[in-house]
Amino acid sequence: MNGVPVLSVRDVSRHYASGDSIVRALDGVSFDIHSGEVVGILGPSGSGKSTLLLIAGLLDPPSTGEIFIRGRCVSSASADIESLRDFRRNNIGFVFQKANLIPFLTAVENVALSLEIDDIPARDARFYAEHLLESVDLSHRIDNLPTRLSGGEQQRVAVARALANDPALILADEPTAALDSVRGRQVIGLFRRIADSQQAAVAVVTHDPRVLDLFDRTIELRDGRIVAETSVLTERNNSLQNATFPQDHSQ
Ligand code: ADP
Ligand code: MG
């Protein structure tokens, strides 16, 4: 089931100065995510989940430790910002809790825009954007403005947009938090399909117990450390039955 490691997090810590004290948002975290895997990142509010995704997504540098993506060390302090940005654009797709679509552009225009930013000509961008929306089951909604889409549909447009650069790694921070159970499962189901069809590696931060069975594995953080981890598919169901899932309404 497992492919090659796409994301490798090696002994990563992230410390923030807060007045006289130091907040250890992440404290010696290590794990891999392989191609074709959908991994849930769990943990209560403040446990370091968002910090971890920002660091894995090269949006924030670790204080210590290393990040490898597709075997390349991308956390080196000497890496220049422009090449990191290019690397991110070519390899990583992000999905957040809110879809953050541009309100005056239709679904297809929202997706095409991110392709045009990558210098793809407008006609090709639209054609490919239609294809991406089809892949998230939104062929019938491509010309709708965001206000004419349900929350779940907006989030699927955001997923299509995240797929525009054909990412090897997809990072999603609470993508189902604003959705009802059925639509939340649809979004995670979509990641499952993308992992299978494109061999992408997917990390999803969630507190949502309704989607846990859709993950290959889970990693649970507390106070910036990994406190529980399920390792293989066959262990998954047993571990999940015993796991606790704290509710968080702070986001
Ligand atoms: P989670 O996403 O699990 O709720 P976060 O990663 O957002 O947790 O935060 C982990 C810890 O780091 C929290 O104590 C938070 O207050 C702190 N933290 C996060 N970002 C910053 C920042 N930019 N400056 C200072 N402290 C931060
Ligand atoms: Mg968070």
Side-chain angles (χ1 to χ4, degrees):
M1 180 203 71
N2 286 357
V4 294
V6 174
L7 170 67
S8 300
V9 174
R10 286 287 168 274
D11 204 16
V12 161
S13 296
R14 180 67 166 101
H15 302 160
Y16 294 109
S18 166
D20 290 342
S21 60
I22 289 180
V23 177
R24 294 178 189 280
L26 287 177
D27 198 6
V29 168
S30 299
F31 63 90
D32 290 335
I33 300 184
H34 300 81
S35 59
E37 273 192 317
V38 184
V39 176
I41 313 277
L42 316 178
S45 181
S47 58
K49 306 181 300 296
S50 294
T51 303
L52 177 60
L53 278 206
L54 291 178
I55 290 176
L58 314 182
L59 293 168
D60 188 36
S63 303
T64 58
E66 287 171 328
I67 302 289
F68 296 83
I69 295 178
R70 305 175 82 184
R72 176 172 154 187
C73 180
V74 282
S75 53
S76 139
S78 59
D80 74 284
I81 288 179
E82 221 163 278
S83 67
L84 268 191
R85 194 192 56 201
D86 284 349
F87 187 85
R88 189 168 60 229
R89 271 188 7 197
N90 291 327
N91 291 282
I92 305 174
F94 292 95
V95 179
F96 298 100
Q97 181 178 337
K98 296 210 177 84
N100 292 322
L101 302 180
I102 295 172
F104 52 83
L105 297 182
T106 63
V108 71
E109 287 166 349
N110 264 281
V111 178
L113 180 65
S114 56
L115 292 158
E116 287 173 47
I117 288 169
D118 276 343
D119 294 332
I120 292 172
R123 266 188 62 180
D124 296 347
R126 180 170 172 111
F127 184 75
Y128 189 46
E130 285 177 11
H131 164 76
L132 288 169
L133 285 169
E134 197 179 312
S135 77
V136 300
D137 304 324
L138 283 178
S139 300
H140 56 305
R141 293 278 187 269
I142 62 172
D143 292 321
N144 283 36
L145 289 169
T147 48
R148 302 295 305 274
L149 297 169
S150 72
E153 288 169 342
Q154 289 181 34
Q155 199 57 306
R156 275 144 63 199
V157 176
V159 173
R161 185 181 54 190
L163 297 177
N165 59 351
D166 193 18
L169 176 63
I170 297 170
L171 302 171
D173 197 350
E174 314 229 16
T176 67
L179 304 179
D180 65 33
S181 175
V182 170
R183 295 192 168 105
R185 287 183 68 81
Q186 277 173 354
V187 168
I188 306 299
L190 206 52
F191 289 134
R192 168 83 277 148
R193 234 160 67 192
I194 294 157
D196 288 341
S197 64
Q198 335 233 344
Q199 287 301 296
V202 187
V204 182
V205 165
T206 188
H207 299 83
D208 190 346
R210 302 167 302 187
V211 300
L212 288 173
D213 61 303
L214 299 172
F215 296 125
D216 293 314
R217 288 192 288 133
T218 57
I219 293 171
E220 188 172 349
L221 292 178
R222 200 149 298 184
D223 298 330
R225 291 169 164 271
I226 294 178
V227 292
E229 203 168 351
T230 61
S231 52
V232 292
L233 197 60
T234 48
E235 285 176 16
R236 185 177 59 167
N237 293 333
N238 291 338
S239 316
L240 290 179
Q241 272 164 17
N242 299 329
T244 54
F245 305 110
Q247 291 298 305
D248 180 340
H249 304 289
S250 66
Q251 304 293 323

